Amino acid sequence: MNSEITTGADYASRRRRSSRRRKRRGLPLIRLFLLLALLCAALAYREFGSLLSNRYAPNTRGSALLQSTAQASALKPFAADLAVPEADSGTDLLGDVRAEGVLLIDGTNEKALLSRNAYTRMNPASTTKIMTCLLALEDSDIHMDDVWTAGPEIVVSEPGASMGGFQQGDKLTAEQVLYCLMVRSGADAANMIAKQVAGSEEAFVEKMNARAKELGATGTHFTNSHGLTDPDHYTTPYDLYLILHEAMKYPEFQKLASQKLYTADYVDAAGQPVQKKWFNTNYYLVGKAKLPEGFSVVAAKTGTTLAAGACLAQLTASESGKQYYSVVLKSPNHDVLYQDASLLLQKSAQVH
């Protein structure tokens, strides 16, 4: 009897001890579970806070790229280190300037001085070739001493197009083709560059438009590498300034875009020597027009078609060392174009 009681008590005691051991073993698991739950809650709170922050924070990237113009409905590209003009500024000083699109910028201080239709889309004619040249200079696979062979791409159908005079099979260096582009304004040179850089005109045009967007030239759309007439090929005075400003970062561009005369010696398809002399199409550089006293051309590109009128984008320097970007689009003719460009520089002193 006593034996049975003693055994039962022992059994109960053993069960209580076993229960306590199970409870002690379970405590770490419970603590681990609670710790994991707290960690998940903290992560969820952080992600939720980040979502709210991103959703309601101001779009600083967009505001850095776009800035309102004087007209509430208009937008214009913006970059911190570039001038941002009003669409029309200093109009009282532009009465004698006949061009439809005008922009004068103090390049030393990046300050807009005068503007007319700065964000209006216009046909740029051969000032397009600034972008063509820029893409060639930016391409690390292109070297000045590379030898290129002219192919079917050099054929240009538009009457009156400025040409370098290449024949299929001609072998020229990349440097010679680039000089033809910027000095002679050769459309055949532009097509050769497009093929060498991108493989085709179409692929090159895609690069042109992509690069324009990167530069903030949102009012620009290219359909070819040379600037010949196409209703879907356009830019604005401001966008042209942006493109020229970027090109000026390359010393090679300044050299290409300021040469008065370039002589190219190369060989034709039969290996026979060919020599071409190309005079710059810029009247200032070749002495057909005179800059205002104390100014000189640093780099420039002209353009002329029936649709675009006479155009000029250039950087000039004064004797004091100040630099000025001038963009003149759609002047009635060449004579008026250089009158307009000179008037802009003359008026620069009045608007500082």
Side-chain angles (χ1 to χ4, degrees), residues 99 101 122-128 240 281-282 301-305 307-314 326-334 337-338:
M122 301 180 187
N123 192 300
S126 287
T127 59
T128 297
L240 200 50
T281 55
N282 187 310
K301 186 70 197 77
T302 62
T304 307
T305 63
C311 306
L312 175 66
Q314 69 178 2
S326 305
V327 178
V328 183
L329 298 181
K330 211 164 186 180
S331 278
N333 55 57
H334 284 101
L337 171 67
Y338 292 96

Side-chain angles (χ1 to χ4, degrees), residues 115-321:
S115 59
R116 173 189 290 163
N117 296 322
Y119 304 101
T120 300
R121 294 175 176 178
M122 301 180 187
N123 192 300
S126 287
T127 59
T128 297
K129 291 167 183 153
I130 298 172
M131 176 62 89
T132 302
C133 186
L134 174 62
L135 290 181
L137 294 176
E138 289 181 336
D139 192 326
S140 60
D141 292 330
I142 300 297
H143 304 93
M144 289 295 188
D145 57 355
D146 290 345
V147 177
W148 296 348
T149 301
E153 74 279 357
I154 65 170
V155 177
V156 176
S157 59
E158 183 168 328
S162 179
M163 306 287 283
F166 302 151
Q167 301 296 319
Q168 292 190 44
D170 286 349
K171 291 179 170 54
L172 306 96
T173 65
E175 182 179 54
Q176 290 171 330
V177 177
L178 283 166
Y179 269 112
C180 182
L181 178 81
M182 297 304 294
V183 176
R184 181 67 186 97
S185 196
D188 44 4
N191 287 349
M192 282 187 70
I193 292 167
K195 179 182 177 182
Q196 293 297 327
V197 170
S200 70
E201 178 82 358
E202 293 76 16
F204 188 76
V205 166
E206 289 182 8
K207 285 180 173 288
M208 295 173 76
N209 288 319
R211 192 69 178 101
K213 288 181 180 178
E214 289 174 358
L215 295 176
T218 57
T220 293
H221 182 262
F222 296 116
T223 61
N224 58 62
S225 60
H226 40 66
L228 293 176
T229 306
D230 186 314
D232 291 326
H233 187 95
Y234 50 78
T235 190
T236 70
Y238 181 64
D239 285 3
L240 200 50
Y241 152 72
L242 292 177
I243 297 167
L244 177 58
H245 188 281
E246 186 68 17
M248 286 304 303
K249 294 178 180 179
Y250 292 84
E252 298 93 338
F253 178 83
Q254 179 176 329
K255 186 178 176 184
L256 291 164
S258 61
Q259 191 80 14
K260 298 177 182 179
L261 168 66
Y262 183 78
T263 301
D265 291 292
Y266 55 94
V267 296
D268 63 15
Q272 296 300 308
V274 177
Q275 184 180 87
K276 290 286 176 64
K277 291 183 180 293
W278 296 313
F279 286 92
N280 204 300
T281 55
N282 187 310
Y283 280 13
Y284 288 136
L285 288 173
V286 296
K288 292 184 179 180
K290 187 177 171 70
L291 277 163
E293 192 67 31
F295 285 92
S296 60
V297 173
V298 178
K301 186 70 197 77
T302 62
T304 307
T305 63
L306 289 175
C311 306
L312 175 66
Q314 69 178 2
L315 178 65
T316 55
S318 68
E319 288 179 334
S320 64

Side-chain angles (χ1 to χ4, degrees), residues 63-136:
S63 61
L65 292 174
L66 294 173
Q67 175 174 315
S68 297
T69 61
Q71 296 180 347
S73 62
L75 293 175
K76 63 189 178 186
F78 173 80
D81 61 339
L82 295 167
V84 183
E86 296 299 328
D88 297 285
S89 177
T91 53
D92 54 324
L93 296 174
L94 294 175
D96 297 332
V97 176
R98 296 169 60 184
E100 292 187 19
V102 170
L103 186 60
L104 178 68
I105 286 175
D106 174 354
T108 303
N109 300 305
E110 294 302 343
K111 177 183 178 183
L113 303 178
L114 295 167
S115 59
R116 173 189 290 163
N117 296 322
Y119 304 101
T120 300
R121 294 175 176 178
M122 301 180 187
N123 192 300
S126 287
T127 59
T128 297
K129 291 167 183 153
I130 298 172
M131 176 62 89
T132 302
C133 186
L134 174 62
L135 290 181

